[in-house]
Amino acid sequence: ETSDFVKKGNYLGITLEMIDRDDVQAIRALPRRLGHAANRTLSAAVAALFTENSDTGPALADGYNLFDAAHHSNLLTTALGAAEWQVVTAAMFKQSEYHSAKRLGVRPSFCLVPIDLEKTALEIFTSDVVPAANSLYRNVLQRSADAVVVVPEWTDANNWAAAAHPNDLEGVCIGYRYGRAPELFLAGDELMGSMFTNDELRIKVRFIYTVGIGDYRALHKSNVG
């Protein structure tokens, strides 16, 4: 699989008058907010990989979309629940090596959900016990709340996904041109540029990255509808 680098960024102009009127120190927070906006832009790019092409993901080098029930065995349609998580776990576990019938034996480590399913996911993975037929059983699916990843950009209240740990199998890959942190620049020389002409200090953010799919077998989607 291949993916192209993209360059994102913008700048904010801060005038002397704005600084004089800044009684709540909002201007001091601008660099941090620019960095946060850059990271959210990257987050949105990753989230879009799961929702392209009517929620089936981008087309891969083999000619099929990322999530394909017939050819990739990583697309289902059932709502999130403990029993369905086991179905997805088994489906990922049974994925085979490339050009081989040997099973990978990889399990999902993260459950990706919209905010609407956060409570459901947390109940599945962080509850100590599971009620069943007037009895309480130990929750064998219990794990850290970090296993639940809420995706801000997902607006469908029912669809969800699973992902293997990248140390086991890399599903989504991110490449950085100048490091993992967005770059921040300050044009503050009073003898040059906008500071000289308009008394305007400019803060610029730049982020160059690429996102793409490493291995479809590390990802699973449930498009419930």
Side-chain angles (χ1 to χ4, degrees), residues 16-216:
L16 293 178
E17 292 77 11
M18 292 171 61
I19 295 174
D20 290 340
R21 293 192 298 265
D22 185 25
D23 296 330
V24 294
Q25 298 185 342
I27 289 178
R28 288 189 177 186
L30 291 179
R32 183 175 67 253
R33 292 185 179 184
L34 284 171
H36 178 71
N39 283 318
R40 282 296 307 275
T41 299
L42 175 58
S43 170
V46 173
L49 294 174
F50 292 79
T51 57
E52 289 182 31
N53 297 321
S54 300
D55 294 323
T56 59
L60 303 185
D62 61 5
Y64 303 107
N65 288 350
L66 169 59
F67 300 108
D68 188 301
H71 301 95
H72 292 164
S73 302
N74 64 351
L75 179 63
L76 292 171
T77 58
T78 306
L80 176 62
E84 187 60 20
W85 179 259
Q86 285 300 100
V87 172
V88 169
T89 298
M92 186 176 293
F93 191 93
K94 293 176 182 178
Q95 291 278 16
S96 61
E97 294 277 2
Y98 188 55
H99 289 321
S100 169
K102 292 183 178 180
R103 292 180 174 179
L104 284 175
V106 172
R107 302 171 184 266
S109 294
F110 303 100
C111 181
L112 287 67
V113 297
I115 187 61
D116 312 82
L117 292 178
E118 181 183 32
K119 181 176 182 292
T120 301
L122 288 174
E123 288 174 346
I124 294 171
F125 297 113
T126 65
S127 298
D128 294 326
V129 295
V130 178
N134 299 321
S135 300
L136 295 176
Y137 295 90
R138 183 173 67 88
N139 182 14
V140 296
L141 296 179
Q142 188 178 37
R143 60 191 67 187
S144 168
D146 293 338
V148 177
V149 179
V150 180
V151 184
E153 290 77 21
W154 287 3
T155 57
D156 190 294
N158 300 303
N159 294 352
W160 57 283
H165 197 286
N167 289 341
D168 298 328
L169 192 62
E170 293 182 338
V172 175
C173 294
I174 304 176
Y176 301 93
R177 181 64 178 85
Y178 293 111
R180 293 174 177 267
E183 300 172 281
L184 290 175
F185 303 94
L186 181 68
D189 191 329
E190 294 187 358
L191 300 179
M192 297 180 62
S194 60
M195 277 293 290
F196 180 78
T197 58
N198 301 323
D199 288 330
E200 180 188 70
L201 182 148
R202 292 184 177 180
I203 303 174
K204 170 186 170 182
V205 61
R206 183 177 69 191
F207 208 9
I208 303 177
Y209 59 81
T210 180
V211 298
I213 301 302
D215 196 319
Y216 68 82

